[in-house]
Amino acid sequence: MQEQILILDFGSQFTQLIARRLRELNVYCEIHPYTKVPKITPDIKGVILSGSPHSVREENPPQPNLSEIKGKLPLLGVCFGAQYLAHFFGGEVGKSNSREYGRAHLEIKDKNSKLFNDVADDSVVWMSHADTILKIPSNYKVTASTHDVKIAAYDIEGEETSCIQFHPEVYHTKEGAKILKNFVYGICKCKGDWTPASFIETTISDLKTQLGDEKVILGLSGGVDSSVAAMILHKAIGKNLHCIFVDNGLLRKNEFETVLESYKHMGLNVKGVNAKDKFYAELNGVSDPEKKRKAIGKVFIDVFDEESKLVTNAQWLAQGTIYPDVIESVSVKGPSATIKSHHNVGGLPDYMKLKIVEPLRSLFKDEVRRVGKELGLDENILNRHPFPGPGLAIRILGEITPEKIRVIQEVDYIFIEGLKSHNLYKEVWQAGAIFLPIQSVGVMGDERTYESVVALRAVSSTDGMTADWCHLPYEFLAKISNEIINKVKGVNRVVYDISSKPPATIEWE
Ligand code: XMP
């Protein structure tokens, strides 16, 4: 039985962070919307109520059904969760009139509170709320305050319920991890059995049962998710896994050959399909990035469909779906507007009639990497930067031609290899080169040139939702720029993108 913590989501932007912090403590957890509290089973060792953009004082505040939870299981209320358990159980929440955003210093009032075991007095915590708890019921006990907030934390006597108005999950709360650890280990008595090794063992055994002798098809992209999904399926069903790796002609220089070789080296049953010409034909004359995406998606499905038919009797399609996609689809707020619909290229037509298997659907990205590492995934694939599905098509502004692809592949190659040889690759979250639809004047030798401009982009980020441009050393940029102009025919100017996201995006499209 896999022990777990249930996180009820009230829509806070930080809910996923709570889950990630618990997973880092080797404790499995699931996020469910507060409107759909799952059945409480013995594997659930405790429950966390998340923060929320809502207020308990609004007309129809979120009201979860806690009848099987409060007083029966360890419970941690965070921010809105804390206000909810005060306001609706005999206390009072009002509008805050002091500063309750950002850093504050914790004064622990009850040294016996298990939640603050070993947490230093004066520790920095991060607040973010417009409401505040004004009064708590008589069986509640204040366990911590801050300068501005008297009831920063409380316990409910006679229950294993602890509440905090600050956010333990954010990086700025210095001892946040310790507080969460106290909850899951000290109060919920979790054993910490969620490790890459245990995930692999359980998943392999489950996949064996689920798939039996049936054949599975999987589209590899060269990215971490599909590669890890392939490896774990391979361990479970061996040759019954049929991988297809399509060369759309929009990958990085030498990428197709190198990655295919790594896959073969890993023992995967993989077929490389060169479909470049089909993609180029469909992209011919297309400038609009959304139309490029549609064209690429369409050809991909055609090629994939054709290749899958060659695998006789395939019954399953494996996908590298990961947990953030799953949460997104059941989110309290509904699908997030910030996620582009096209990010998961390759929704397959219904007529393929394949059953879907998603071995990584409970994992966060960093966990996929940990699992990949444990499975012995090639370092080259494990640590690579994210790369968009439509590839260089959205890094060439305007129409795509084989010549522009050649140029941008060469430029990108020099940049990426340079980052690697200067030990900068791992510091950067994502990097690449963009072919701009303009030409500019230059001089080379005694001649005037009129050639293309390329932009280099390197960003730091954790999930691609926000990003900052990397402050790469000037000497490095100078060297790379020189090398590009000297070696890549057709380029006479290099610029470096110094925009953050938002308001810019990572890709130029
Ligand atoms: P933007 O440009 O929106 O990109 O800041 C955020 C992250 O998403 C990647 N990206 C894509 N990935 N298909 C993908 O699989 C796409 O169409 C696509 N567009 C952007 C981008 O590379 C960055 O990592």
Side-chain angles (χ1 to χ4, degrees):
M1 187 179 66
Q2 174 74 62
E3 62 180 22
Q4 66 162 298
I5 298 291
L6 167 65
I7 300 171
L8 290 182
D9 180 27
F10 294 86
S12 161
Q13 55 172 328
F14 299 130
T15 308
Q16 282 200 34
L17 264 188
I18 302 180
R20 280 170 55 186
R21 296 288 168 264
L22 298 193
R23 302 278 189 96
E24 279 162 14
L25 293 166
N26 293 342
V27 174
Y28 182 69
C29 56
E30 283 185 10
I31 299 175
H32 290 259
Y34 75 89
T35 44
K36 292 195 186 116
V37 179
K39 186 169 157 22
I40 302 299
T41 44
D43 52 330
I44 298 180
K45 301 296 176 201
V47 179
I48 297 182
L49 308 182
S50 85
S52 176
H54 293 283
S55 160
V56 292
R57 297 180 301 118
E58 64 193 40
E59 205 171 318
N60 287 308
Q63 298 238 37
N65 176 0
L66 299 181
S67 58
E68 293 307 309
I69 296 172
K70 188 176 169 298
K72 297 183 176 164
L73 279 178
L75 179 59
L76 174 68
V78 174
C79 197
F80 174 89
Q83 293 165 353
Y84 177 84
L85 292 175
H87 192 76
F88 289 102
F89 293 85
E92 191 189 336
V93 167
K95 187 153 181 54
S96 156
N97 50 19
S98 60
R99 203 180 139 265
E100 297 188 18
Y101 288 96
R103 261 165 243 268
H105 292 266
L106 205 61
E107 295 160 32
I108 297 173
K109 298 288 178 195
D110 179 359
K111 303 272 180 227
N112 294 323
S113 169
K114 289 188 207 160
L115 197 66
F116 296 125
N117 186 23
D118 213 19
V119 172
D121 228 347
D122 216 30
S123 188
V124 170
V125 296
W126 190 261
M127 296 273 183
S128 175
H129 47 97
D131 282 357
T132 194
I133 301 172
L134 300 173
K135 210 174 90 202
I136 46 177
S138 57
N139 61 328
Y140 286 30
K141 185 173 180 194
V142 174
T143 53
S145 306
T146 67
H147 184 268
D148 294 309
V149 183
K150 191 166 152 280
I151 309 169
Y154 64 79
D155 282 352
I156 303 183
E157 288 174 343
E159 291 180 17
E160 287 202 295
T161 300
S162 297
C163 289
I164 46 189
Q165 278 205 92
F166 57 88
H167 288 273
E169 67 277 22
V170 303
Y171 169 78
H172 296 92
T173 295
K174 189 154 178 280
E175 295 195 273
K178 198 180 275 172
I179 292 170
L180 291 172
K181 189 171 175 189
N182 285 339
F183 179 65
V184 294
Y185 286 111
I187 301 177
C188 301
K189 304 275 182 275
C190 288
K191 296 191 294 288
D193 58 3
W194 177 251
T195 59
S198 74
F199 170 82
I200 293 167
E201 194 187 318
T202 325
T203 307
I204 290 178
S205 142
D206 291 350
L207 287 170
K208 281 185 172 155
T209 316
Q210 186 183 13
L211 304 170
D213 275 339
E214 298 181 343
K215 287 189 193 167
V216 179
I217 297 178
L218 180 141
L220 284 170
S221 69
V224 183
D225 302 345
S226 66
S227 305
V228 173
M231 280 193 88
I232 203 157
L233 278 157
H234 174 72
K235 290 233 183 255
I237 61 168
K239 292 285 173 210
N240 272 344
L241 173 69
H242 294 254
C243 301
I244 299 170
F245 182 31
V246 177
D247 185 0
N248 58 13
L250 302 161
L251 302 173
R252 296 192 141 115
K253 183 179 168 182
N254 299 340
E255 176 114 323
F256 185 68
E257 296 75 14
T258 322
V259 173
L260 189 59
E261 206 36 58
S262 310
Y263 284 145
K264 289 192 173 149
H265 187 71
M266 281 151 37
L268 292 182
N269 177 10
V270 53
K271 180 169 179 195
V273 182
N274 178 347
K276 282 184 193 177
D277 293 341
K278 289 187 183 152
F279 284 90
Y280 293 167
E282 193 74 23
L283 285 167
N284 191 16
V286 182
S287 297
D288 177 80
E290 289 303 317
K291 290 196 177 126
K292 286 179 184 171
R293 287 192 168 91
K294 289 219 169 69
I296 293 165
K298 176 178 170 295
V299 181
F300 180 82
I301 288 169
D302 288 350
V303 173
F304 195 81
D305 184 26
E306 212 170 284
E307 286 300 322
S308 320
K309 282 190 195 133
L310 302 177
V311 183
T312 44
N313 269 334
Q315 312 232 9
W316 294 86
L317 176 74
Q319 291 185 333
T321 315
I322 63 172
Y323 197 44
D325 309 328
V326 176
I327 303 173
E328 189 64 30
S329 63
V330 297
S331 153
V332 175
K333 292 168 283 185
S336 154
T338 45
I339 295 209
K340 292 180 188 167
S341 57
H342 50 254
H343 272 200
N344 295 311
V345 187
L348 290 176
D350 289 345
Y351 64 82
M352 284 186 78
K353 301 264 181 291
L354 294 168
K355 294 178 272 185
I356 303 285
V357 52
E358 300 174 315
L360 311 180
R361 61 180 278 123
S362 62
L363 300 187
F364 285 107
K365 190 85 181 181
D366 43 338
E367 294 177 302
V368 175
R369 287 219 164 83
R370 281 170 72 195
V371 166
K373 191 160 191 225
E374 181 85 22
L375 284 165
L377 182 64
D378 201 305
E379 282 279 321
N380 165 39
I381 298 182
L382 197 60
N383 295 322
R384 69 177 31 192
H385 292 167
F387 187 66
L392 300 175
I394 56 168
R395 293 194 181 160
I396 294 173
L397 273 58
E399 282 181 31
I400 295 164
T401 62
E403 173 57 10
K404 290 183 191 169
I405 294 174
R406 179 198 68 79
V407 168
I408 210 63
Q409 277 182 336
E410 293 298 335
V411 172
D412 177 85
Y413 187 78
I414 292 171
F415 185 33
I416 300 295
E417 291 306 303
L419 286 170
K420 286 182 182 160
S421 64
H422 287 74
N423 281 332
L424 293 165
Y425 186 81
K426 283 191 181 164
E427 320 247 308
V428 169
W429 190 77
Q430 185 173 19
I434 302 102
F435 190 102
L436 303 188
I438 45 170
Q439 293 193 304
S440 77
V441 172
V443 277
M444 281 196 193
D446 289 335
E447 293 195 19
R448 258 169 92 88
T449 58
Y450 192 61
E451 290 179 330
S452 298
V453 184
V454 292
L456 304 181
R457 179 109 168 107
V459 296
S460 57
S461 177
T462 49
D463 52 13
M465 304 289 268
T466 58
D468 198 6
W469 61 280
C470 289
H471 296 217
L472 294 176
Y474 282 173
E475 298 72 31
F476 171 75
L477 289 170
K479 189 167 175 293
I480 295 299
S481 154
N482 245 334
E483 197 173 333
I484 291 170
I485 295 176
N486 284 329
K487 289 193 179 157
V488 186
K489 204 169 149 283
V491 176
N492 68 354
R493 196 176 293 268
V494 176
V495 297
Y496 186 57
D497 183 349
I498 54 167
S499 337
S500 63
K501 170 183 180 174
T505 50
I506 296 176
E507 303 296 344
W508 283 44
E509 317 214 338

